[in-house]
Amino acid sequence: AELTSGNEKTYEVLQTLQSEKNELLTKLDKAENALKACESEKCANLNSSTLANKEREVETVKYSTEIAAMSANTLELEGKVESLTTDLNLSKSELEDTKSKLEIELTKSKMLELEYRTTKGMLEITKGDKDKV
């Protein structure tokens, strides 16, 4: 039960991390598109004032910094997702091993029950034979 509960929690965390990763990827796409738009605008207005060009450069640096930070976050989340997936697979493997052991024990128990019933039947036959004598 604890293993199953742990698996559910691991799965929930995995889902949350996957969700966060998707949000970051969306933000990353938006930031990249904004950067492309900014760079296109910068190229189209090369002859505009030096101040305007400086402002665009500052925006470009800002977006580049945001993209780098989001890329780092995405890599970190991918690492966590991979780690949790590994943990989940290990837990699944442990559950399968436990199930296999339980099935073996159940089979042994059924065999012992059959042996018990057989012995009990033989005793009743022996008792019946004694009663006849």
Side-chain angles (χ1 to χ4, degrees):
E2 287 180 15
L3 192 55
T4 302
S5 167
N7 278 346
E8 289 171 2
K9 287 179 184 170
T10 302
Y11 182 75
E12 288 174 15
V13 170
L14 185 63
Q15 290 297 318
T16 302
L17 289 174
Q18 192 67 42
S19 203
E20 289 176 13
K21 176 186 169 187
N22 290 340
E23 286 179 48
L24 283 173
L25 289 173
T26 301
K27 287 180 181 178
L28 181 62
D29 284 344
K30 287 179 182 177
E32 285 175 341
N33 289 336
L35 178 62
K36 287 176 189 171
C38 180
E39 288 175 345
S40 295
E41 185 181 340
K42 181 180 168 185
C43 291
N45 296 309
L46 273 177
N47 294 327
S48 63
S49 73
T50 305
L51 182 57
N53 284 336
K54 282 289 180 191
E55 287 174 4
R56 287 184 189 89
E57 286 174 16
V58 168
E59 283 184 32
T60 300
V61 168
K62 181 180 127 189
Y63 286 128
S64 296
T65 303
E66 287 179 12
I67 288 170
M70 287 180 193
S71 294
N73 284 343
T74 300
L75 285 174
E76 183 182 344
L77 285 173
E78 285 173 350
K80 287 180 181 177
V81 167
E82 192 174 311
S83 173
L84 287 171
T85 301
T86 300
D87 290 347
L88 201 57
N89 286 336
L90 285 174
S91 295
K92 180 181 174 189
S93 175
E94 289 171 358
L95 281 173
E96 288 170 352
D97 287 350
T98 302
K99 178 184 172 193
S100 176
K101 288 175 184 173
L102 286 172
E103 287 171 345
I104 289 169
E105 292 304 317
L106 179 63
T107 301
K108 285 181 183 176
S109 173
K110 287 180 180 176
M111 288 172 61
L112 284 172
E113 181 183 359
L114 184 62
E115 189 178 324
Y116 167 77
R117 288 176 186 237
T118 303
T119 303
K120 184 178 176 186
M122 288 169 58
L123 284 173
E124 287 175 6
I125 291 171
T126 304
K127 182 181 176 193
D129 287 348
K130 281 184 179 178
D131 290 344
K132 288 179 186 175
V133 173

